[in-house]
Structure formats: structure tokens, C-alpha cells
Amino acid sequence: TIRTVHAVEILDSRSRPTLSVTLAAAAPGNDDIVIRTGVPAGASTGSREATELRDGDKDRYSGQGVLKAVESVNGEIHERLAGHEFPSLAELDHELIDLDGTTNKSRLGANAIVGVSIAASYAFATAERQQLWQSFFGFVGAPDLPVPHFNVINGGVHALNELDFQEFMLAPIGAPSIAEAVRAGSEVYSALRSLLHSRNMSVGLGDEGGFAPEIAEPEEALDLLVEAITTAGYTAGTDGVAIAIDPASSEFYSDGTYTVAGKPFSSDEMIERYAEMVKRYPVYSIEDGLSESDWPGWQRLTSRLGDTIQLVGDDIFCTNPGIISEGIDQGVGNSALIKVNQIGTVTETLDAMITCRDGNYTQFVSHRSGETPDTFIADLAVGTGAGRIKSGAPARGERVSKYNLLIEIADDNRELPFGLG
Ligand code: PGA
Ligand code: ZN
């Protein structure tokens, strides 16, 4: 039985307001359960994401305040849930969806709803005397410790440099365990820092804790990564540390043209550039290589490279089971990024993952560029057996909290496998 749900406006890792949600519940045979969770927030958002409610009051936080979303939780959502008993998380989530009544959660705010849904998922697990990750058993796949993807060079809207591509990630696919994968990420991150410093380049950080050097061409970033990987003593490739990129290209696409380092590219020219990158560098995964509004380009990209590498849809799918289904039918990509706040409830997120599984798409669990120390996504990735997770650099509290929980889960459960699955 839910006793209370309560929210308050706090700060995320980017110094923007977000919600802290506290849920109190009573379960038969248990002490009272009190859960507190923080809500993530993106910067390069897909246009079909569930709608975050922001106040728009320019006198507070440049309009970014979330007092209206806080009021959704403390008013309507509290009134609807308090005193009620829910047999499952799915039923509670559907109650939230019905209460909001819109298709994109814009009335109460997806940021309000997702905070309550995540807190409720912890409460259900606690009531069943399970770890959160164990409560996801049986929904998607067999549990597994995912390969961490460390975003060590930041560009796009996550940094103020001239680099248009948003994320350059280290994927220690060849590591024997999560602890060794984290060690590889950290050692290469340190090597990269020294390398940048030795070349008189900035070691200032972007929003996800990666470096934001003054480079513009994506290939310069790839050269730096390969050098850092080898300097740190690892093999650059899928038998050691591979590279995954997220250009987040919707951000530099307009009217049929992609603008990279000041030069215009058509969809087909971008596809050729990616094909060349995959040949020259150990790039095994490309996310949002083309824009969310360029479905024909995505189809050609998928026919060209879909058998060779992972092609992840983030902005184009928005963790939306319906859009992912369309993508599967139309041959768009072969993987989906999974962000709980893009769709707004844990139940719908699991539906998106099931849709991927049934369509043979891989599932890539993700944080947002604005985070709190909350570790929900680490549990989600383990319990669903997604096989891949990205939570930014192997540095900064809100990023490493997720990686550290993976190491702790591995230590407590020695039988859990590690890897892409
Ligand atoms: P966001 O970026 O959280 O700022 O949307 C993450 C991503 O594009 O994967
Ligand atoms: Zn992305």
C-alpha cells in the first residue's frame, strides 16, 4: 500500500533543476519502505520523447525550474496513489498513464511520472525482498553484467568545443569481467588525459565527464582514442577495447544537410564517411549516425553497414515500443538506446526492450547527460540482460555510481556472466 509520494526540486549534474521523489509504502510482513530517487534529464533530446514539464518562469533558473512537475507529484499523483494497493508495477504505471491522460505525458510531466515509476519499482523489489535488478527477471532476457561504454571525448551540445559529434566511447568488450572493464576504462581515460596535456590541449570536461579538447573533425578524436588505448597497454579492437560513437546527428542536420566541422554532407556522404571510419578505426557501434527525421538515409545506412556494426537508434526511437516496431519493419538500425525518461515509465521501458528482443535488435541501456547519483539504470541493465550500458566517463560521482554498482553486484553474485550476451 502506497502511503505517500512526495517530490522536491533539486539539482542535476549540469546544475539544472530536477526532481527528487520520495515514496513511502507499507507491505505485509515488512517494515515501512521509504525510497528516494532522482530524475535524469537530457540535452540532445528526440522530438518524440515524452514531455518534460519545465516552469518557463524566466526569473527562476532561466525558465528551467520544475515546480509544476513537483506539484504534479505532491498534488494529483499523491492523491491518486495514497492509500491504494497495487498488485504490480505495471498496474501502478498504467494508473499514472491514465491519470495524465495525454499521449506524451505532457500534462503531469514525464519528469514527474518517471520519478514516481522508478521509486515504485524499488518499492516493489523491496517488498519482495529482492535486489532491484532481480525484480526484472523474466521480463526480457537472462541476467548479465553489461559491457560499460565510457564516454571519454565530449562534443556536440555536451561541450563548448567545435566538435560536432557528441560522444566517443571506450567499449572494453574483450575484458574478462566488469571490474577489469572498469579498470580498462579508467586506465585509458588517464592515458588520454596525459596525451592531451602533452599536446597542450585542454583537459576540461564536458557534461558527461569526458574531455572536450579543441578539435573539430571526428577522426581526430578517433586518432586520440586509439593512441590512448594502446599507450595504456590494451588492444584497440573487439578483443580488447573497441570504440562506440554517438554523433547525435539530429543536432547538426537541417534541410537534408549534415554540417560537420563547417562542411556540408548529404546522407550518402555521411554513410561513406562512416564506412571509411569503420575500415580505419576499431569502431564497432554508431548511434544516431543519421538524423531522427532521415528514415530513408537510415535504411541505406543499415543496408550498407548493418551486417558489420551495431547501429543504435536513440533520438529516432525515443525508447518508444511503437516507433521501434516501425523501425524493425522498415530495416532501420539493429539496436535501440533505452532511456527510461524518454518514454516515462518503467513498464513501457520494459515493453520497448521486449520489442527489441523480439525483433533481434540489441538493447543499449543509457543514462542522460543530466544525472543524479541514482543507480536505477545499472539494475535495469543487469536484470534484463541488455549486455550494454553507457553512463558517461569513468569519472564524476553521478557517472561512476552506476559503474560501481555493477562491480558490487558482480562481487555479490559471482555466477553472473559478463559481456554483450
Ligand atoms: P542526452 O544525450 O542525455 O543529452 O539526450 C545522450 C545521448 O544522446 O545519448
Ligand atoms: Zn544518443
Side-chain angles (χ1 to χ4, degrees), residues 44 166-167 246 248 287-288 314-315 337 339 366 390:
S44 63
Q166 181 178 282
E167 302 175 18
D246 177 9
E287 176 184 330
D288 284 354
D314 171 12
D315 290 353
L337 207 71
K339 292 167 163 170
S366 173
K390 66 170 190 177

Side-chain angles (χ1 to χ4, degrees), residues 118-282:
I118 290 173
S121 71
Y122 280 102
F124 276 102
T126 308
E128 297 293 326
R129 295 188 158 76
Q130 288 177 319
Q131 302 287 308
L132 181 58
W133 60 278
Q134 295 170 323
S135 72
F136 298 121
F137 283 8
F139 283 99
V140 188
D144 166 69
L145 292 154
V147 172
H149 289 61
F150 302 104
N151 181 12
V152 295
I153 295 185
N154 294 183
V157 298
H158 293 168
L160 294 174
N161 55 8
E162 298 299 312
L163 186 61
D164 295 303
F165 280 28
Q166 181 178 282
E167 302 175 18
F168 294 83
M169 292 170 273
L170 305 167
I173 300 173
S177 66
I178 181 66
E180 288 298 292
V182 169
R183 180 165 78 89
S186 170
E187 290 176 359
V188 177
Y189 183 73
S190 297
L192 179 60
R193 187 171 192 275
S194 305
L195 180 62
L196 293 170
H197 186 63
S198 72
R199 300 206 178 147
N200 291 317
M201 295 166 103
S202 163
V203 291
L205 303 182
D207 287 355
E208 297 191 353
F211 302 110
E214 306 83 351
I215 54 176
E217 300 288 0
E219 290 80 3
E220 293 178 81
L222 294 172
D223 283 326
L224 286 165
L225 286 198
V226 170
E227 190 169 342
I229 291 167
T230 36
T231 306
Y234 294 91
T235 309
T238 46
D239 48 347
V241 179
I243 295 173
I245 61 174
D246 177 9
S249 66
S250 305
E251 298 290 332
F252 53 84
Y253 176 79
S254 130
D255 289 336
T257 300
Y258 297 87
T259 305
V260 180
K263 295 182 276 296
F265 291 84
S266 67
S267 306
D268 288 325
E269 288 167 338
M270 288 300 288
I271 294 170
E272 283 319 304
R273 191 161 180 179
Y274 292 134
E276 199 52 37
M277 270 182 204
V278 169
K279 238 187 265 166
R280 281 178 50 205
Y281 298 97

Side-chain angles (χ1 to χ4, degrees), residues 28-43:
N30 263 306
D31 293 337
D32 271 13
I33 296 165
V34 179
I35 305 293
R36 178 166 283 172
T37 182
V39 174

Side-chain angles (χ1 to χ4, degrees), residues 378-398:
D379 285 286
L380 179 70
V382 174
T384 57
R388 33 203 70 64
I389 188 170
K390 66 170 190 177
S391 174
R396 301 187 16 160
E398 80 282 4

